[in-house]
Amino acid sequence: MSSPARQATDRDSVLAERRHVMVDDIVAEARETASHIGKSEFAPRVMEAITRVPRHEFAPSMSKALAYENAPLSIGHGQTISQPYIVALMTDLLAVGPQDVVLEIGTGSGYQAAVLAEMVKRVHTLEIVRPLAVAAREVLERLGYDNVEVRRGDGNLGWPDAAPFDGVIVTAAARAIPPQLVEQLKPGGRLVIPVGGELLTQDLLLVEKTEEGEIKQQVILPVAFVPLRGRRGH
Ligand code: SAH
């Protein structure tokens, strides 16, 4: 029989191998959707971050076996972690650098926050469902992501104390762009947000605040997200 340490190493290498297969699936889907998203591959920094983050740690025990499928994953409370391809796409659109400070709305499992934490200086993330915020904080701490702060709150209002941000990412569908999130962007900052009705698909939007403070908006792709709740949500 192999030692417990040896078994742990074997398990880690199996999981790392599954993660590589997931990354290959993301690469393939990026190529297939190139005409929509205007590029056939995502930035190497994005793919490296996705290769490093142990997605299974963010999956509830009943869905751990599915953690490395290129598919959304149920996390309870009627919520899901986005499909890995969508996580990669949204992270790529945010175009963040190592010194950036970002805001995420909709912490959910904490997975997207971990991907961002691999790439930026600091991540602030807001979750409206308290048990999800508590669970995400625990797993992020356990995995050593000490540059992430999780807070329970309504993301429609942003996080004024930590603003302005280089990037804001919203991982639930809003009916309209919450103005506070645009206000809390730095000049040159980017907001990535799905906008649209609750039952139909939404448009994934890239909103940019230019250095002059002008707002530019671009539709990237039709998507289907769970609704953003709270004051300006559904
Ligand atoms: N980014 C997450 C998945 C998000 S699912 C991950 O990587 O796992 C969308 C999340 O947005 C849900 O957890 C939902 O509870 C949360 N949410 C919905 N409305 C919100 C609001 N107004 N403010 C903050 N979080 C909200």
Side-chain angles (χ1 to χ4, degrees):
M1 256 179 65
S2 56
S3 69
R6 172 69 191 277
Q7 282 172 6
T9 315
D10 289 350
R11 184 168 170 274
D12 288 348
S13 63
V14 167
L15 291 167
E17 176 53 33
R18 292 221 193 130
R19 201 146 58 237
H20 277 108
V21 172
M22 180 186 84
V23 167
D24 290 346
D25 290 342
I26 297 173
V27 168
E29 192 165 350
R31 279 203 204 103
E32 285 160 21
T33 54
S35 62
H36 269 286
I37 63 179
K39 59 174 82 174
S40 57
E41 55 190 34
F42 300 129
R45 289 189 78 228
V46 173
M47 299 312 287
E48 282 157 22
I50 288 181
T51 305
R52 279 196 297 270
V53 177
R55 193 169 187 256
H56 64 279
E57 297 282 5
F58 297 89
S61 45
M62 58 179 284
S63 41
K64 279 206 194 299
L66 303 172
Y68 292 112
E69 301 291 319
N70 183 20
L73 205 58
S74 168
I75 53 172
H77 302 271
Q79 305 302 329
T80 53
I81 317 187
S82 303
Q83 182 196 2
Y85 159 78
I86 293 289
V87 172
L89 171 63
M90 291 176 76
T91 309
D92 186 82
L93 288 169
L94 215 52
V96 283
Q99 292 310 315
D100 286 358
V101 178
V102 299
L103 172 66
E104 179 193 27
I105 308 303
T107 317
S109 68
Y111 175 70
Q112 170 77 70
V115 171
L116 289 167
E118 294 274 354
M119 302 176 63
V120 301
K121 189 162 114 199
R122 188 141 192 91
V123 180
H124 297 270
T125 179
L126 278 167
E127 170 55 55
I128 204 163
V129 176
R130 189 177 301 278
L132 287 174
V134 170
R137 190 180 295 130
E138 272 171 20
V139 63
L140 288 162
E141 260 176 36
R142 178 164 58 76
L143 295 175
Y145 288 108
D146 54 10
N147 58 341
V148 182
E149 188 177 350
V150 183
R151 203 183 264 185
R152 214 239 29 136
D154 181 355
N156 285 288
L157 309 173
W159 190 321
D161 318 352
F165 303 102
D166 299 282
V168 176
I169 180 170
V170 183
T171 63
R175 277 208 191 280
I177 299 171
Q180 283 89 340
L181 300 186
V182 179
E183 278 159 27
Q184 291 173 26
L185 274 184
K186 282 185 195 167
R190 293 170 153 224
L191 163 66
V192 177
I193 180 170
V195 174
E198 185 169 5
L199 296 174
L200 305 168
T201 61
Q202 307 107 26
D203 285 326
L204 183 62
L205 303 186
L206 171 62
V207 180
E208 292 179 80
K209 187 185 269 185
T210 65
E211 295 294 342
E212 295 73 39
E214 195 190 328
I215 306 302
K216 289 187 182 166
Q217 188 176 311
Q218 196 185 329
V219 177
I220 306 294
L221 194 74
V223 286
F225 274 79
V226 296
L228 186 70
R229 297 158 43 179
R231 219 177 266 192
R232 228 177 284 270
H234 288 274

